[in-house]
Amino acid sequence: MERILQKVAKCRWSRLAASRRPLSTSNFFITTPIFYVNASPHIGHLYTSLVADAAQRFQRLLTKNVSFLSTGTDEHGSKVEKAAGKMDTQQYCDKISSQYVEMLSMYSVDYSTFVRTTSLEHKKAVHAFWKRLNDRNFIYTGEYSGWYCEADEAFVPESRTEKLADGSRVSAESGRQVDWTCEENFLFRMSAVQSDFSHWLKDPSAVQPSKFHSLVQLWVQEGFHDVSITRPSHRVPWGIPVPENPQHSIYVWMDALVNYLTVAGFPDNLQNWPADVHVVGKDILRFHAILWPSLLIAAGLEPPRQIQCHSHWKVDGEKMSKSRGNVIDPRGQIGSTLTHEGLRYFLLREGTNHSDANFSQVKAMNILNAELAGKLGNLLNRCTGKSLNPRQIWPAFVEAAVEAQEVAPLIAALQELPAKAKQHYAAFNFYKAVDEVILVLQVANKFFEDQKPWTLARDSAEIQSILSLTFETLRVVGIVLQPVIPKLTARLLDRISVPLEKRFWGDLEQFLWDGVKTEQPLKSEKLTLFPRLGDGK
Ligand code: MSP
């Protein structure tokens, strides 16, 4: 035992801690969880993907560097095998996996790689990871007994179970049934990494938002116990066998977590490690914030820089579930009703990290009509309408032509927007960034109404300056909203002739009034940015 502990001590992760960097600015590497193929995609899965996609798009705007977004499907375990029913399990996995690919492309999730846990490349990474842990003495065999929750594919400590009136037991967290199980398993010596783990967790940015960081700290106080990392293969045949010991299948969560290394080229060509951000939903926080960093520390690899946790979507106030029949597949009707960019906007505009959000089609339609068709689309129509802008130009801005005190609120709002939005995006608070944009649009629409340009002489310097400032608002807002609605903003920025190379965050440092702005033609033909959706009552 002593010898083992010495060996374990040698590979302490704290030696690596010195090299820990803040979130990287080049090659930003962000991941989504990989999706279970036991069911088709729903809006919760889409949301998790949109959070990661919007974050990487923001990083690209900021740094102009490439980013790396990984996603994929989690295809092993008894749940998947059961879901396949009579169908060949691999064919079933192929079918559902392709549904996720379809959803991601429909909603412009710009992923760099899509990993599948049934791929050879991934199996190779899992085996290499296993061997590494084994070589470092972090794996041993033993009898493992405890409450196993098949639906969650996890052992649950008794303290986190509840006994029901009928004598059965459920997991307190998920409410799903647990059964007493006693098996010969391989165990991971997680208890040996607790102090290195605590060192990693000390940094509040390791788990965000802070509410979830505190929760993980509480979990850690329960103490680290060794955990089972295999199941007998006769119980879970649809899994990756333990190297040289095929009577055991590697625990699905260990298999799944290693996907983040597979996509980074482990074991032969590991690059860009650690990941900057793992985006996860609150239901899988424990696996990502405790088990995964522990496994990495044991393997002598750096834990992720950040775990970004979000809350869940309910539908009309209820948890989404097959039995309630309220599961919304983003590939279905809802995408045609709200449009794909519309649903993307709504999810990022309403979803928050800290509390559950509620999906309602009526609410979504009302918000989209009010904000995208109303505030944003309306402003574009106002300054591109033929009667006020017959020559279809972005006119020059003549400062002296407009009353300083009348433009002051709009100019101040525009000047403040980039810094505010940047802070919210960086904290994954997309809804707050959108809030700021909407406030600016309100100021701009009010400015336009107050100025009453339709009462002024055509081609006067005054009217030109009002239009010019309105276009400037659209430019700023268009750049800021790119992470949330990439396609709509591309159309908007095309329409008002903002060149592709001028759509970065740095382009928000210089405003219209900071330099000489000459008249410019508008590029494309008339555009209805976001058509009003059918009656949203
Ligand atoms: N396969 C595991 C993850 C393994 S990652 C190494 C898994 N898959 S999942 O398909 O069930 O969930 C994938 C993601 O979708 C998780 O982040 C989960 O939190 C998220 N969501 C599932 N239901 C959700 C909502 N109702 N709302 C928001 N996100 C939700 O867990």
Side-chain angles (χ1 to χ4, degrees):
M1 185 67 178
E2 182 115 77
R3 197 177 50 83
I4 290 172
L5 287 179
Q6 270 172 11
K7 244 191 164 176
V8 166
K10 256 203 218 152
C11 62
R12 287 169 77 91
W13 169 77
S14 34
R15 279 188 294 117
L16 291 170
S19 66
R20 189 143 175 245
R21 293 168 284 145
L23 294 194
S24 82
T25 47
S26 63
N27 282 335
F28 180 73
F29 174 19
I30 187 164
T31 67
T32 77
I34 49 171
F35 303 103
Y36 278 135
V37 291
N38 61 333
S40 296
H42 60 56
I43 53 166
H45 303 129
L46 175 60
Y47 179 66
T48 256
S49 317
L50 293 179
V51 167
D53 184 56
Q56 74 150 349
R57 285 176 185 274
F58 168 63
Q59 285 297 326
R60 291 202 301 234
L61 284 188
L62 215 53
T63 64
K64 299 190 177 181
N65 287 324
V66 287
S67 55
F68 188 83
L69 166 61
S70 76
T71 186
T73 40
D74 185 356
E75 306 185 4
H76 289 128
S78 19
K79 273 200 286 182
V80 172
E81 208 190 357
K82 256 192 210 153
K86 289 200 182 109
M87 199 170 166
D88 170 73
T89 314
Q90 187 60 59
Q91 272 177 12
Y92 167 80
C93 290
D94 295 348
K95 179 179 129 193
I96 307 286
S97 183
S98 68
Q99 296 181 354
Y100 281 93
V101 171
E102 189 189 355
M103 171 189 82
L104 297 170
S105 75
M106 257 181 186
Y107 287 88
S108 312
V109 176
D110 192 13
Y111 59 86
S112 320
T113 189
F114 187 96
V115 62
R116 297 184 57 187
T117 55
T118 51
S119 68
L120 276 178
E121 163 204 35
H122 175 70
K123 287 178 188 165
K124 187 175 147 195
V126 172
H127 274 180
F129 190 75
W130 177 281
K131 285 196 184 122
R132 202 159 161 149
L133 289 183
N134 199 31
D135 291 347
R136 299 166 82 92
N137 274 306
F138 277 97
I139 296 182
Y140 63 97
T141 45
E143 192 169 87
Y144 196 85
S145 51
W147 295 103
Y148 189 75
C149 177
E150 180 142 340
D152 293 341
E153 313 239 33
F155 277 100
V156 187
E158 184 152 309
S159 57
R160 298 208 313 264
T161 64
E162 274 165 15
K163 199 168 178 183
L164 302 183
D166 64 1
S168 66
R169 243 173 223 278
V170 292
S171 152
E173 245 163 64
S174 70
R176 288 151 160 173
Q177 191 187 322
V178 294
D179 297 297
W180 187 255
T181 319
C182 184
E183 317 169 322
E184 176 76 7
N185 277 350
F186 286 87
L187 286 101
F188 165 50
R189 214 181 289 285
M190 193 160 96
S191 53
V193 298
Q194 181 159 359
S195 75
D196 282 339
F197 174 91
S198 301
H199 179 78
W200 169 75
L201 188 63
K202 234 185 239 158
D203 179 351
S205 68
V207 180
Q208 279 295 307
S210 59
K211 160 183 171 179
F212 292 113
H213 184 253
S214 312
L215 184 63
V216 177
Q217 279 175 319
L218 267 184
W219 289 339
V220 173
Q221 281 168 20
E222 292 167 7
F224 270 32
H225 305 285
D226 294 350
V227 294
S228 163
I229 46 168
T230 59
R231 304 288 330 270
S233 49
H234 66 88
R235 284 189 200 264
V236 185
W238 186 247
I240 300 181
V242 168
E244 287 141 42
N245 217 327
Q247 303 90 308
H248 299 269
S249 297
I250 294 176
Y251 178 41
V252 278
W253 265 103
M254 177 158 157
D255 166 355
L257 288 163
V258 171
N259 92 83
Y260 302 129
L261 283 173
T262 309
V263 298
F266 182 82
D268 301 329
N269 187 24
L270 182 64
Q271 281 188 359
N272 212 10
W273 192 260
D276 289 291
V277 184
H278 292 316
V279 174
V280 302
K282 61 181 184 179
D283 55 324
I284 56 173
L285 179 62
R286 193 187 284 271
F287 296 105
H288 281 82
I290 296 202
L291 179 60
W292 182 226
S294 301
L295 285 168
L296 286 166
I297 290 168
L301 294 166
E302 244 187 289
R305 295 201 173 100
Q306 183 166 96
I307 289 168
Q308 186 61 235
C309 186
H310 63 75
S311 297
H312 275 188
W313 276 90
K314 292 183 170 169
V315 171
D316 295 324
E318 296 206 318
K319 201 175 162 194
M320 251 188 296
S321 76
K322 254 192 196 163
S323 52
R324 286 194 182 93
N326 63 352
V327 177
I328 300 178
D329 186 338
R331 296 168 310 136
Q333 182 58 39
I334 199 72
S336 343
T337 309
L338 301 180
T339 75
H340 296 147
E341 286 279 284
L343 178 55
R344 198 179 149 115
Y345 179 82
F346 178 69
L347 291 178
L348 288 170
R349 205 249 179 288
E350 284 291 299
T352 70
N353 285 340
H354 49 81
S355 356
D356 288 348
N358 188 33
F359 185 88
S360 123
Q361 185 173 311
V362 174
K363 184 165 143 202
M365 287 172 108
N366 288 338
I367 287 185
L368 293 172
N369 281 340
E371 297 183 351
L372 292 186
K375 297 194 170 68
L376 183 60
N378 195 26
L379 198 63
L380 177 68
N381 292 343
R382 285 181 146 164
C383 56
T384 52
K386 284 272 162 61
S387 57
L388 282 186
N389 194 345
R391 289 196 291 129
Q392 290 295 285
I393 51 162
W394 177 329
F397 180 63
V398 185
E399 206 170 336
V402 275
E403 288 282 338
Q405 79 240 40
E406 285 174 12
V407 289
L410 179 55
I411 287 188
L414 284 171
Q415 270 170 332
E416 287 164 16
L417 178 64
K420 286 182 181 165
K422 182 176 173 184
Q423 187 200 345
H424 297 317
Y425 277 148
F428 287 72
N429 285 325
F430 303 104
Y431 72 103
K432 285 193 182 171
V434 178
D435 268 347
E436 296 293 348
V437 167
I438 296 300
L439 287 176
V440 170
L441 287 172
Q442 264 158 0
V443 176
N445 276 303
K446 180 168 184 321
F447 166 73
F448 202 91
E449 279 153 27
D450 291 350
Q451 295 299 307
K452 300 191 178 46
W454 53 90
T455 62
L456 303 171
R458 272 208 193 156
D459 260 355
S460 65
E462 203 178 349
I463 208 171
Q464 307 241 351
S465 295
I466 295 165
L467 291 182
S468 194
L469 211 50
T470 310
F471 279 118
E472 179 66 348
T473 307
L474 291 168
R475 179 189 75 92
V476 171
V477 160
I479 292 177
V480 170
L481 279 181
Q482 287 176 100
V484 178
I485 37 172
K487 281 193 174 154
L488 274 184
T489 48
R491 267 187 258 148
L492 168 68
L493 295 169
D494 284 350
R495 173 75 173 111
I496 62 171
S497 312
V498 178
L500 281 176
E501 67 282 6
K502 293 265 184 228
R503 298 180 185 182
F504 291 93
W505 210 266
D507 297 305
L508 297 174
E509 276 159 18
Q510 249 220 335
F511 293 95
L512 176 72
W513 50 88
D514 292 332
V516 185
K517 175 86 171 72
T518 49
E519 170 181 315
Q520 221 177 289
L522 297 180
K523 278 217 180 94
S524 36
E525 274 308 289
K526 186 169 166 34
L527 168 73
T528 304
L529 189 67
F530 191 86
R532 262 190 81 81
L533 303 174
D535 200 6
K537 280 171 209 144

